[in-house]
Each structure stands twice: as C-alpha cells, then as structure tokens.
C-alpha cells in the first residue's frame, strides 16, 4: 500500500493541531506555517492525481485490517480530481485571508486546516460511517469559520446553518443504522454486493434508508427544498470563508455520485437506480429557482450564493442522466463553477470594502476607487459564470446539453438551462451596472485594491479561460473519470479483491 493516499488527511490534521496549540505564536508565524501546509497539500494532491491517471485504484486499509472489516481509503480518478480542486481553491483563498480576514478569529488557520481535512477525508473514504465522520469534521470547522467576526446577520445565518446541518447529521445516522441493520456492513464496496442480493422484504427497508441518505446529501448539496439556508449563510460569511465554502456543496454532489452509482446503481438488483427518478425533477426546479433567486437578490454576495444553487441544479441534472457523456460534462462544469464562484466571493469582499455604508447592496452608492480593475474582473467572472462564450461555463453547458438524447428529457434540460442562464445573465448585468456605472456623484473611497487580494481573486476566476485553453486534456481526464465511475464492478473488485468472487455484481471476475 502506498502511504501517499493518507497525506491529504494527515497533513491538514497535523497542521491544524500545531496551529491550534500554537495559537499564541505571532500571527506572522501562523500565516507562514498555514501557507506552507496548504501549498504542500496542493503538491500532494497533484502527485495523487498523476498516480490515478492510469485508471488503477489505490486501496489503503488502515491498520492492515482487510475490507470490509476495517477502515479503507480509496483513491480513483474522481477522488483525486476533487482533492486537486479543493487544494487549488484553498491556496488562493488562504492567501486572500492573510491580508486581514484571518485576524477576525484566533483559531482561523487551525479551523481552515481542519475543514480541508474533513473535505479530503470525505473524498477518500471507502465506507459510509467514515463519510459521516468526515462530514462532521468539515461541518464543525465550518460552523466556527462562519461565525468568525461579529454581527447579528452572521449570528442568525450561523444559527440556521448549524441547526439544519445537525438535523441532517441525525438523519445520516438513522440512514446508516438502517443499512447496517439489514446488510451488516457500511463498506461501500461490500454494500454494493449485499444490496444486489437483497430480497423484496429487506429491499424495502434498505430503500427507505437509501432515500433518507438522499435527503441528507441533498441538504449538503443545497438541493430543493433544502437550499434556502445557503444564500443567507454564504452572504453573511467573511469573503475567504464564503469562497472556501464553494466546495462544500460539491461534497454533497460527490456523495450522491459515489453512493448512488456504486451501491444503488444499475447493478443493485431490486434497488437499481434508486435516486435518479427523484433527482431529475428536483435538480431542474433547483436550477430554476436558483436563477430566480439570483434575479431577485438585493446584494452581491446573496446573488453569488444563488449562483451556487444554480450550479448545484446544473450538476445534479447532469448526474441524473447517468451516462458517461453527461458525467463528463458534470465533472468539467464542477471544476469551472467551484473555482469561478470562489473567485467571485473574494471579489465581492473587495467591492464591499470600497463602497462604504452601502457595502454590497445593489443600490447606487459611492464609486469604488479602481472601477476599471474591479469592474473588469467582475465582467470576466460574470461572463464565465453565466455560461457565455468563450469561457468554460459555456463549454460546460454545451457538453451537458449535447449529452442528453433527443426526447422529453432534452426538451426539459435545454429549456431550463438556457432560460436559467438568461436570468443569471440579466441578474449579473444589473448588478454590474449598479456597482460600477450607476454610482452617486461622490468621491471614491480612499482605499485602493490590495494587489495580493486582487491576485487571489484573479487566480480563481482565470481558471475559466484556462479550462478552455486546456479543454482537450481536461475533458480527456473527466471522460475517463466518468467511465471509471460508471463501472462499479471494478471498484468492488479493487476494494474487496478475492472476497468479491462469485457476487452478483456484473463484471466482477471470479
């Protein structure tokens, strides 16, 4: 077993502990250590991405306990890709926070590392109980990060966020308890074997547990009707915190893809394709209402929060198609929306600081001190996130719309995606004109754009044109990732090895 697979969890864990117990050290020491640790995490993630490129699975059994009895970590193309996305988002966000956001809380850097640990663990774990554990790690860190700083709006949003996620965690425990009570295992590969062999009586109970899990993952992903907490919570958070939260909903999307393809996918017998009939309509309505919410938003950060909701609807609509072409589009669009949305949250923080008492409210106010720089960056981000050519949002939507076969599904998807994109474009155009053109006849704020903060936002938003320039190798990898994901037999064989012999999972060699 290669020990590299443990580093995305161990590195932020140890870094967080050191920062936690070294909180009395000077802020300069904490900042330097956190930056080195996050840069190291990015390097490790890139190494693991290279190791996963050949399509082989890496399975790490902690304590050398053979699956399904011990804890296993599983690295494939999908988990490696999301590790890289997380680290790529985290480094510019952390650099942005070094310019003062991190001073709002004593333990910001420790919490930031613990959140990265939870995210990476969720992407690597091979069993449902440890998925729950890592969910709790990242959520507890996010609770504290959201509350960094003062203000009644932040307190109210934080309370709603905590209560809803605690309810979701309780449902998660009920769901995994139900699955364990019937199947006797929570290892995903072993569950795939056991679920495929269930009779009608047990299958009915497991179906209830599977749908309960879908509710939990829908809450994490912010799917209708469980998304109403997101825009307010993200708008209330500090810019750096909101930006790193851009990856949080993708954990829910990842969990849906992983669980409902491997465990409840086409080879699940009586429970085959449990989630897709529910996911398709909910995803389309989520996309529609997210676009309407963006159009109705009264401040920039809430608008960007609704853009996250729109992206979730788009991703899960593609996931519900469950074809290699659709999942290829989903993964490409996930890269685009995570990085660009994170950059827009950082940009919103700079705009807010320069508009004085008006902050980011979409009403005329004093002009920003550097409208050409900030306005140009906003235009780049708006074109990308609205899905206009030649940016990656346009290419991602083209891939998705091309993946749906002719028929009723195509009519619905094309209509919702295109009309939703139009509403988002109108919302962003309105916001840009108010923020940068329709200003009051007042002197600009004396503050100037911080070059490091501007560079952090630019680094994330510039991912959009880069994803277009390098579209060929990126889509080659995402297509291979989609094909690997849709072959659960290979996952089962890799994790269980000889124990999978003779199972009902199609394609597992005896």
């Amino acid at each position: 077993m290669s020990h590299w697979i443990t580093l995305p969890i161990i590195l932020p864990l140890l870094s967080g502990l050191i920062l936690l117990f070294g909180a009395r050290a000077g802020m300069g020491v904490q900042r330097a250590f956190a930056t080195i640790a996050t840069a190291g995490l990015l390097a490790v993630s890139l190494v693991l991405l290279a190791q996963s490129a050949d399509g082989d699975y890496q399975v790490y059994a902690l304590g050398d306990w053979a699956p399904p009895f011990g804890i296993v970590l599983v690295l494939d193309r999908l988990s490696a890709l999301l590790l890289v996305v997380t680290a790529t988002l985290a480094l510019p966000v952390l650099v942005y926070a070094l310019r003062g956001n991190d001073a709002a809380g004593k333990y910001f850097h420790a919490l930031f590392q613990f959140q990265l640990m939870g995210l990476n663990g969720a992407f690597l774990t091979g069993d449902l109980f440890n998925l729950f554990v890592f969910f709790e790690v990242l959520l507890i860190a996010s609770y504290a990060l959201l509350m960094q700083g003062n203000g009644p709006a932040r307190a109210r949003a934080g309370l709603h966020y905590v209560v809803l996620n605690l309810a979701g965690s309780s449902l998660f425990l009920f769901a995994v308890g139900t699955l364990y009570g019937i199947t006797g295992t929570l290892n995903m590969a072993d569950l795939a074997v056991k679920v495929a062999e269930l009779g009608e009586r047990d299958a009915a109970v497991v179906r209830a547990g599977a749908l309960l899990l879908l509710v939990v993952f829908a809450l994490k992903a912010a799917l209708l009707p469980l998304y109403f907490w997101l825009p307010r919570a993200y708008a209330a958070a500090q810019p750096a915190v909101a930006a790193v939260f851009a990856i949080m909903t993708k954990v829910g999307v990842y969990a849906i893809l992983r669980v409902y393809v491997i465990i409840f996918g086409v080879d699940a017998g009586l429970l085959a394709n449990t989630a897709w009939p529910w996911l398709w309509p909910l995803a389309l309505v989520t996309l529609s209402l997210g676009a309407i919410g963006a159009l109705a938003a009264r401040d920039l950060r809430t608008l960007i929060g609704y853009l996250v909701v729109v992206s979730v609807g788009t991703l899960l609509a593609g996931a519900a198609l469950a074809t290699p072409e659709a999942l290829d589009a989903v993964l490409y669009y996930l890269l685009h929306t995570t990085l660009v949305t994170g950059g827009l949250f950082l940009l919103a923080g700079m705009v807010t600081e320069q508009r004085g008492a008006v902050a980011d409210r979409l009403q005329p106010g004093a002009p920003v001190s550097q409208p050409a720089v900030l306005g140009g960056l906003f235009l780049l981000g708006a074109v990308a996130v609205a899905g206009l050519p030649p940016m990656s949002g346009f290419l991602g939507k083209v891939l998705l719309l091309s993946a749906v076969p002719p028929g009723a599904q195509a009519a619905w998807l094309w209509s919702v995606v295109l009309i939703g994109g139009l509403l988002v474009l109108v919302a962003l155009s309105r916001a840009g004109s108010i923020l940068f053109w329709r200003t009051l006849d007042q002197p600009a704020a004396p503050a100037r754009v911080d070059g490091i903060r501007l560079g952090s936002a630019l680094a994330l938003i510039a991912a959009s044109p880069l994803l277009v320039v390098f579209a060929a190798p990126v889509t080659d990898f995402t297509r291979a990732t989609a094909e690997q994901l849709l072959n659960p037999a290979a996952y089962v064989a890799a994790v269980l090895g000889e124990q999978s012999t003779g199972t009902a999972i199609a394609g597992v060699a005896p």
Side-chain angles (χ1 to χ4, degrees):
M1 296 185 295
S2 170
H3 298 287
W4 276 91
I5 191 175
T6 65
L7 288 181
I9 300 172
I10 292 176
L11 182 58
L13 171 62
L14 294 179
S15 301
L17 290 173
I18 292 171
L19 288 165
L20 184 65
F21 291 107
R24 294 185 179 181
M27 186 58 75
V29 174
Q30 292 188 54
R31 288 171 172 171
F33 185 83
T35 304
I36 293 170
T38 307
L41 182 62
L42 177 58
V44 168
S45 301
L46 291 171
V47 169
L48 292 176
L49 184 72
Q51 291 181 0
S52 71
D54 59 5
D56 290 338
Y57 288 88
Q58 291 189 35
V59 181
Y60 189 94
L62 275 72
D64 207 21
W65 284 84
F69 304 107
I71 298 172
V72 295
L73 304 177
V74 183
L75 180 76
D76 62 359
R77 290 189 179 107
L78 179 59
S79 54
L81 181 66
L82 287 168
L83 291 176
V84 172
V85 174
T86 302
T88 303
L89 174 69
L91 187 56
V93 169
L94 179 64
V95 171
Y96 180 99
L98 299 182
R99 305 300 290 178
N101 279 169
D102 58 343
K106 183 177 180 181
Y107 300 107
F108 174 87
H109 291 291
L111 292 168
F112 192 88
Q113 295 297 319
F114 289 141
Q115 184 163 19
L116 295 180
M117 171 200 167
L119 289 165
N120 292 340
F123 296 141
L124 286 170
T125 186
D127 68 89
L128 285 181
F129 184 77
N130 283 286
L131 181 62
F132 166 79
V133 171
F134 286 118
F135 268 22
E136 292 308 296
V137 171
L138 70 90
L139 286 173
I140 290 171
S142 71
Y143 299 155
L145 286 172
L146 178 59
M147 298 301 293
Q148 297 271 306
N150 300 315
R154 189 167 296 168
R156 285 193 299 270
L159 178 62
H160 296 160
Y161 177 74
V162 171
V163 170
L164 282 172
N165 278 284
L166 286 177
S169 298
S170 300
L171 294 178
F172 201 157
L173 282 179
F174 292 147
V176 298
T178 301
L179 296 180
Y180 186 78
I182 298 297
T183 64
T185 184
L186 290 176
N187 180 282
M188 293 186 196
D190 200 33
L191 272 170
V193 175
K194 300 291 178 58
V195 166
E197 298 171 343
L198 291 175
E200 290 187 13
R201 183 177 179 181
D202 289 339
V205 180
V206 172
R207 184 186 301 276
L211 293 177
L212 196 58
L213 268 184
L214 184 61
V215 172
V216 175
F217 297 152
L219 174 62
K220 308 302 182 185
L223 186 68
L224 184 86
L226 302 170
Y227 75 79
F228 295 102
W229 59 271
L230 187 148
R232 182 175 297 179
Y234 282 34
Q238 291 188 67
V241 174
V244 80
F245 279 9
I247 191 67
M248 294 275 283
T249 54
K250 310 312 181 291
V251 181
V253 174
Y254 166 83
I256 290 172
L257 288 174
R258 183 68 82 187
V259 170
Y260 294 96
V261 170
I262 291 178
I263 302 174
F264 302 105
V266 294
D267 299 319
L270 296 173
L271 298 178
N273 299 324
T274 298
W276 309 141
W278 298 88
L279 203 59
W280 172 252
L282 290 176
L284 293 182
V285 178
T286 299
L287 196 165
S288 303
L289 293 183
I292 294 172
L295 191 62
R298 298 183 179 181
D299 60 80
L300 180 59
R301 286 175 292 181
T302 300
L303 191 160
I304 301 171
Y306 276 108
L307 296 182
V308 175
V309 175
V310 170
S311 72
V312 168
T314 305
L315 291 169
L316 291 179
L321 297 174
T323 64
E325 296 80 9
L327 291 181
D328 175 19
V330 164
L331 295 174
Y332 182 87
Y333 192 81
L334 185 148
L335 297 175
H336 147 80
T337 188
T338 303
L339 299 177
V340 173
T341 306
L344 285 174
F345 275 119
L346 299 185
L347 175 62
M350 292 184 283
V351 171
T352 300
E353 289 178 355
Q354 293 199 15
R355 297 189 79 223
V358 178
D360 68 331
R361 291 194 296 276
L362 298 180
Q363 64 186 58
V368 296
S369 60
Q370 291 179 299
V373 175
L374 295 181
L377 190 55
F378 178 84
L379 177 62
L380 179 63
V383 169
V385 80
L388 297 179
M391 296 300 182
S392 55
F394 173 76
L395 181 54
K397 289 184 178 180
V398 168
L399 291 172
L400 179 59
L401 296 178
S402 302
V404 60
Q409 277 191 320
W412 278 107
L413 186 64
W414 278 71
S415 300
V416 172
V417 168
L418 294 180
I419 294 173
L422 177 61
L423 294 179
V424 167
L425 178 61
V426 172
L428 289 168
S429 300
R430 168 177 165 264
S433 65
I434 292 174
L435 294 172
F436 303 107
W437 289 348
R438 292 166 51 190
T439 57
L440 299 178
D441 189 15
Q442 296 178 1
R448 295 185 63 81
V449 175
D450 186 303
I452 293 180
R453 286 186 173 183
L454 183 65
S456 299
L458 178 61
L460 292 175
I461 295 176
S464 182
L466 289 175
L467 283 171
V468 175
V469 172
F470 297 101
V474 172
T475 54
D476 286 345
F477 189 87
T478 55
R479 179 59 183 267
T481 302
E483 292 174 349
Q484 185 181 44
L485 177 63
L486 289 174
N487 183 15
Y491 181 95
V492 172
V495 174
L496 298 183
E498 295 180 359
Q499 300 176 57
S500 64
T501 300
T503 67
I505 300 298
V508 179

